[in-house]
């Protein structure tokens, strides 16, 4: 137990995990309980959860920075460990939703995970939900969810950037998902204020093969492009 705590403090989460889990298992088998044992036994599960959450935050940050699959594999493992101990953990559930989609394209499970947090004030979950709706072609619902997300608050100001980068990563893998260009345009326009980026995304959408499937978004794109061009020319978007 002491060695595990020392490893935790010194920044060696892997060794800390092994030591603390070993201590937890041994404590469950001990019959003789010396002074202080009960207090340690009560605190240990919370300390293990704190370790997992700290570790998970670092792994998630690494994935959002690198988009390397192995970083997400590591983050998913720790997210699962967290959810075993706290099924309602917000950050772990969001990472599991990402893993469900990235590794398995399991949109049903991913949607279920993020929708569970629909009462959460933080709107990070809604960016994920809107993306999943757009990916599955439910564009009217996706637009509504993006609109709410843009008007809400997120735990980090980098969420819109992360959301756009994730869309671009998926488009590299599945260029036929042309509707994601429109979703990226909405993020650039309304969440990031990047008119040039929004204009680029809209043009990519309107010329993409299969865009005719999304008639409402094509009509909206025409109006948005006109407004953006006017803004870039010095006028104001109404």
């Amino acid at each position: 137990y002491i060695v595990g705590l020392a490893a935790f403090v010194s920044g060696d989460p892997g060794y800390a995990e092994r030591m603390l889990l070993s201590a937890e298992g041994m404590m469950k088998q001990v019959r003789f309980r010396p002074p202080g044992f009960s207090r340690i036994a009560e605190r240990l599960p919370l300390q293990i959860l704190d370790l997992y959450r700290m570790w998970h935050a670092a792994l998630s940050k690494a994935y959002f920075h690198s988009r390397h699959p192995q970083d997400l594999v590591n983050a998913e493992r720790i997210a699962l460990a967290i959810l075993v101990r706290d099924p309602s953990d917000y950050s772990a559930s969001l990472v599991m939703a990402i893993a469900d989609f990235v590794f398995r394209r399991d949109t049903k499970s991913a949607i279920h995970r993020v929708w569970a947090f629909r009462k959460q004030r933080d709107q990070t979950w809604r960016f994920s939900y809107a993306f999943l709706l757009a990916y599955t072609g439910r564009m009217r619902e996706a637009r509504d969810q993006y609109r709410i997300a843009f008007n809400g608050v997120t735990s980090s100001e980098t969420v819109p950037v992360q959301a756009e980068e994730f869309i671009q990563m998926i488009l590299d893998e599945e260029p036929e998902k042309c509707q994601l260009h429109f979703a990226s345009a909405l993020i650039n326009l309304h969440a990031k204020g990047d008119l040039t980026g929004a204009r680029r995304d809209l043009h990519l959408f309107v010329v993409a093969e299969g865009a005719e499937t999304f008639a409402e978004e094509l009509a909206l794109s025409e109006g948005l492009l006109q407004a953006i061009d006017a803004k870039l020319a010095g006028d104001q978007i109404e």
Side-chain angles (χ1 to χ4, degrees):
Y1 172 71
I2 297 300
V3 171
L5 290 183
F8 185 180
V9 173
S10 65
D12 189 346
Y15 190 54
E17 179 191 31
R18 291 195 296 274
M19 292 297 99
L20 294 179
L21 288 179
S22 177
E24 184 180 47
M26 293 171 68
M27 285 182 178
K28 292 177 181 178
Q29 299 175 14
V30 170
R31 293 182 179 180
F32 172 70
R33 301 198 168 201
F37 183 95
S38 295
R39 185 179 179 188
I40 292 174
E42 290 175 0
R43 294 175 58 186
L44 183 53
L46 297 177
Q47 290 168 326
I48 294 174
L49 192 54
D50 285 343
L51 166 67
Y52 280 140
R53 284 175 171 152
M54 179 200 69
W55 197 359
H56 179 260
L59 292 171
S60 298
K61 184 177 181 180
Y63 173 69
F64 293 136
H65 177 73
S66 70
R67 299 297 179 184
H68 194 283
Q70 187 57 48
D71 288 328
L72 184 56
V73 168
N74 297 335
E76 182 184 21
R77 184 184 83 79
I78 303 305
L80 281 168
I82 292 173
L83 292 173
V84 166
R85 295 171 182 268
D86 181 7
S88 65
D89 189 278
Y90 181 48
S91 296
S93 295
L94 292 184
V95 165
M96 286 303 304
I98 293 171
D100 281 340
F101 178 81
V102 170
F103 294 141
R104 298 172 282 277
R105 286 300 192 267
D106 188 347
T107 55
K108 183 177 180 180
S109 177
I111 287 174
H112 177 75
R113 289 186 189 277
V114 298
W115 183 246
F117 293 94
R118 58 191 177 276
K119 295 183 180 179
Q120 179 76 236
R121 182 170 181 269
D122 173 71
Q123 296 297 297
T124 303
W125 74 270
R126 200 180 297 273
F127 276 89
S128 296
Y129 183 52
F131 162 79
L132 291 165
L133 291 172
Y135 179 86
T136 54
R138 298 158 63 181
M139 291 304 294
R140 183 177 296 180
E141 295 173 79
R143 296 199 316 265
D144 290 341
Q145 293 300 319
Y146 274 125
R147 187 178 302 111
I148 298 171
F150 298 151
N151 291 322
V153 296
T154 57
S155 56
S156 171
E157 61 183 13
T158 66
V159 169
V161 175
Q162 294 175 14
E164 186 212 357
E165 289 178 349
F166 187 80
I167 286 175
Q168 297 306 321
M169 182 181 75
I170 300 306
L171 278 168
D172 288 342
E173 298 175 1
E174 300 183 65
E176 68 276 10
K177 293 290 185 178
C178 63
Q179 71 271 24
L180 295 181
H181 288 298
F182 185 84
S184 181
L186 293 180
I187 294 172
N188 272 315
L189 180 60
H190 298 295
K192 294 174 57 185
D194 182 356
L195 300 182
T196 302
R199 189 174 186 275
R200 176 203 63 222
D201 290 334
L202 290 169
H203 273 296
L204 287 172
F205 171 63
V206 298
V207 302
E209 182 179 353
E212 65 278 2
T213 305
F214 305 98
E216 290 185 15
E217 285 66 41
L218 281 175
L220 289 170
S221 295
E222 182 178 350
L224 288 173
L225 282 169
Q226 291 177 357
I228 290 171
D229 287 341
K231 176 67 174 180
L232 292 175
D235 295 334
Q236 294 291 323
I237 297 179
E238 296 182 358

